[in-house]
Amino acid sequence: METKQIEKVLKAPAPHMVGDGFRVHNFFPSGYPINMSPFFLMDYGSKIEFSARKEPRGVGIHPHRGFETVTIAYHGAVAHHDSSGNSGVIYPGDVQWMTAASGILHKEYHEANYSLAGGPFQMVQLWVNLPAKYKMGKPAYQAMQQADMARFDIPENGGKIEIIAGNYEGIKGNAKTFSPIELYNARLNKGGQATFNFPEHFNTGLMVIEGSININESETAVADHFIYFSNKGTAIKIEALENSVILVLSGEPIDEPIAQYGPFLMNTEAEIHQAIEDYNQGRFGYLEE
């Protein structure tokens, strides 16, 4: 089994604010010109302390079409409402998977009790592209609590792998996906080891959320760094140099044209124009402020 080669270890780009509640580092597509299809975008919110506040911070009502948003909480709590009638709160370890598909309005903000208390906040949001045949499908929402997540316990108290999507050591994640995707949280204790095997043509990366790791017995990466792999080889081995949390993402690329404008991710410019018109005409539904 050939080792998957590390292409680059990338440090977090300069942060920017999304609304007033999310300070994020955009690793791709704007931070680094890497191909992570079917993952189109990754905003990483490194750990930050928010002060207590009565009025929750967040980002107001905005539309999406043509893809999915996957929000993974590590610290803090995020509340969500959308125009399909879905709402929920994710706490540390939880995941919210929203399929915008043909069009949705939503808003995201700090959960009320967290906002009143303040404290550490850390999260990841991914935009997962949809194959063309699913872009105009029905919007959907999947809420995953950490307690219910499929998991693999690493022997000898090495830690655990939480399987959000895909299959690890025969254990299947709960998320329904529209193309082959592997998405895990590897929570390793100091000295814990994990191995992964992904098809050679899958695009693969590791986001070090906490701690530090050795990869393939060759390179070290610390918190807030992203390890981007080449499409050569299949095997990845990681060892935690201290208690660590690593987001593992790998997926089969979607080999279709991309047209993107703001919150719309389609295949052609004509579809982008249609999305703008549909949004302006109120066809994405209604959501109260």
Side-chain angles (χ1 to χ4, degrees), residues 8-15 25-28 31-32 34 42 44 206-208 221-228:
K8 298 171 184 172
V9 177
L10 305 170
K11 68 178 183 178
H25 311 264
N26 182 260
F27 273 89
F28 58 86
Y32 293 100
I34 59 176
M42 186 177 78
Y44 168 60
L206 306 175
M207 182 70 227
V208 185
V222 300
D224 303 341
H225 285 68
F226 185 80
I227 302 101
Y228 176 56

Side-chain angles (χ1 to χ4, degrees), residues 146-147 150-155 157-163 168 184-189 193-194 196 244 246:
Q146 186 180 33
R151 58 184 271 185
F152 172 83
D153 292 315
I154 299 168
N157 196 34
K160 62 185 177 182
I161 309 292
E162 294 170 348
I163 303 111
Y168 183 80
Y184 324 135
N185 269 322
R187 300 180 184 273
L188 303 185
N189 297 325
Q193 298 181 2
F196 307 97
S244 299
I246 307 98

